[in-house]
Amino acid sequence: MTVPPAWLARCARLVDCRPGEGRALFWSFAGFFLLLAGYYVLRPVREEMGVEIGPDKLQWAFTLTFVGMLAIVPLYGWAAARLPRRVLLASVFGITALVLAGFQAWIAGGASPVAALALFVWVSVFNLVVVSLFWTAMADSFAHAQARRLFGVIAAGGSSGALVGPTITALSVHAVGVHGLLLVSAALMLLSLLCILRVVDDHTRAEAGRPLGGRILAGLGEVASSPYLAMIALAIVLQSVLGTFVYFEQARLVKAAALAPEVRTQLFALIDLAVNLLALGLQALVAGRLMQKLGLGITLAAVPLLLAVPLAVLAAIPVLAVVLSIQVVSRAGTHGLMRPAREALFTAVERESRYKAKNVLDTVVTRAGDALGGWLHAAAGLGTPAVALAAIPGALALAWLGIKLGRRYQQKVAETSSDSGSGRAVPGAS
């Protein structure tokens, strides 16, 4: 398959795409589009498995997800250190597709509690691994200057796929069933692999032939030794706990609604569609302007401050529509505002520390926060109104921590600029 010349011409006009880069950008965009489309076909299925597991047992699902992440990280690191890049990509994506096909056969006649739990954990673990591997392949395929110009466009491919995935689920779940969606996702993953390999085969730089290494757990030391990174870790844990509280209430109220499995899966797909539409709008129109005009601290604080209002409404009116609205606002705000601002925080740390610590924060710390939130929710044993009231101080604390992080970021930028003495701008400091 060849890339249409007309597409390359449009690419050059719309973005700073230079001669010789159009094909790599096309395949990278397509690869990330298909990857996130495949994941977002699965996400509503995972939510349905959460309902099947039951709100009273979800804390075990989150704990097993954390354990699974701890188990797979060294295994992935071992493979990454020893396998050629192409073989590693084919192995991870191929195993993912095969496992999904196996789950399709397992739940074709209905998901047992064990099958629902296993699928929930698998989807929660693998999505972080494949997305991380995709960006590693991109980093190997583009030089630093190219990455600064083109990675935003590649990321937009993922956002577009995140819109298409839930649309596929919402339109097809009644025709193919919940189990059939697993094969749809597997096919999209394999197509994504083909696109990524086109980039890797043609554009991987010579220095990228070195082993990737598997030192993700070593990054825990970086987080523990840096107050700045520890603050970021605390913010991630607090955000995960709050998100878990809302997720559990969603599962409880959806379960009480007694909807059919296909209807629930369709509902979750529509929620994902709303989240991704709103997030894409925030990314394109709001995030950059907000960070430039008001700073990272206000950007990080805006969403948790906004959430305090619907949480208060949920405490007074504990119905499904309110908790679904909170889910849309929370998740869209996280992807559209908080995540870009959080990524910018890492431009103020050294490059080596940035990559080691970021891997730990994105995987182990995130899933640890999910597990902690699950057990806190279970131990409290509160009803929906009380959970909502308990979440409000957490949201306000997260907003305060975001402002503190913004101030500390500005200090580190000033220190870096002063130490360099060259007047060179720090990326993301504007």
Side-chain angles (χ1 to χ4, degrees), residues 2 83 99 102 105 152 163 167 193 203 221 239 244 271 294 322 339 370 372 379 383 422:
T2 59
L83 296 178
V99 171
L163 290 174
T167 303
L193 171 65
H203 297 87
Q239 184 178 351
T244 301
I271 293 170
L294 299 181
V322 177
R339 188 61 185 263
D370 292 342
L372 175 62
S422 62

Side-chain angles (χ1 to χ4, degrees), residues 39 42 96 100 121-131 189:
Y39 168 64
L42 277 184
T96 297
L100 289 174
V121 171
W122 169 256
V123 174
S124 300
V125 169
F126 99 89
N127 76 293
L128 296 182
V129 174
V130 292
V131 171
M189 294 286 174

Side-chain angles (χ1 to χ4, degrees), residues 327-351:
Q327 275 282 56
V328 170
V329 172
S330 174
R331 288 174 50 202
T334 296
H335 296 317
L337 294 180
M338 296 184 71
R339 188 61 185 263
R342 196 176 86 194
E343 296 297 337
L345 292 174
F346 289 97
T347 63
V349 300
E350 294 181 359
R351 184 173 183 270

